[in-house]
Amino acid sequence: VTQTLENNGLLGKIQAQLRAGVFLALEETDKKNRKAHHNKRLQQFLSTKEGLLAAGLVQEFLEFFQLDYTGAVFEPESGMSGRYEGRTALERQVDYDVSDELPLIAAIVKQSLNSSNGGSNVHLNKNQDPPGAEDTINDSIDS
């Protein structure tokens, strides 16, 4: 049975669903006990433009490939609940329009690899800063 489930691609999905369910149950228990997951380093990182953008790119990647159970764990654990505004908002932040064939993070990596061969660089659109974000990644991580 295990081999059949694995061959059909279902075993990994069932395992991911179980992990997500366990995490969400623990998260709910923590909420009831008023204990929040505190990851100061992550929260400092997410207070920057780059940090919020990076987490948004990860969330868009998970959404793009329909990794719903992984996303269900990532969102509350990272503190991104309600902060992800979707792919279109991310495209504006990086000032980059990508076809729907790739997740944004893959398109940015591809562009970055091509830029070393004379292509153009992807850059942050300074007019699209996430609300409440600090100026640089180093300001929050190094402190």
Side-chain angles (χ1 to χ4, degrees):
V1 173
T2 302
Q3 188 63 42
T4 302
L5 289 173
E6 190 171 339
N7 290 342
N8 293 335
L10 295 174
L11 186 59
K13 188 172 185 172
I14 291 169
Q15 289 171 329
Q17 187 176 10
L18 180 60
R19 283 190 296 270
V22 168
F23 177 81
L24 293 174
L26 291 172
E27 184 76 15
E28 188 63 33
T29 301
D30 284 349
K31 283 181 185 177
K32 288 179 183 175
N33 295 333
R34 299 200 184 265
K35 294 179 186 174
H37 292 285
H38 291 293
N39 183 334
K40 290 181 182 180
R41 188 172 182 197
L42 176 61
Q43 295 312 311
Q44 288 175 337
F45 181 67
L46 292 177
S47 72
T48 67
K49 290 181 259 189
E50 295 92 346
L52 202 51
L53 178 60
L57 289 169
V58 169
Q59 198 158 355
E60 189 269 340
F61 177 88
L62 298 174
E63 182 180 88
F64 185 91
F65 288 109
Q66 299 172 346
L67 298 171
D68 300 330
Y69 302 116
T70 306
V73 172
F74 176 76
E75 194 173 321
E77 187 174 27
S78 66
M80 286 293 293
S81 298
R83 297 172 79 178
Y84 173 64
E85 297 178 355
R87 180 184 175 107
T88 304
L90 290 174
E91 286 176 349
R92 284 192 307 266
Q93 288 175 21
V94 295
D95 195 20
Y96 195 65
D97 189 22
V98 180
S99 74
D100 291 339
E101 296 174 13
L102 288 174
L104 288 173
I105 196 166
I108 291 169
V109 168
K110 182 178 178 180
Q111 182 68 27
S112 178
L113 293 173
N114 289 340
S115 71
S116 65
N117 296 328
S120 63
N121 289 322
V122 175
H123 62 279
L124 287 176
N125 184 341
K126 300 299 182 190
N127 297 324
Q128 294 294 326
D129 293 342
E134 295 176 15
D135 283 340
T136 67
I137 199 169
N138 294 333
D139 291 343
S140 71
I141 301 301
D142 293 336
S143 54

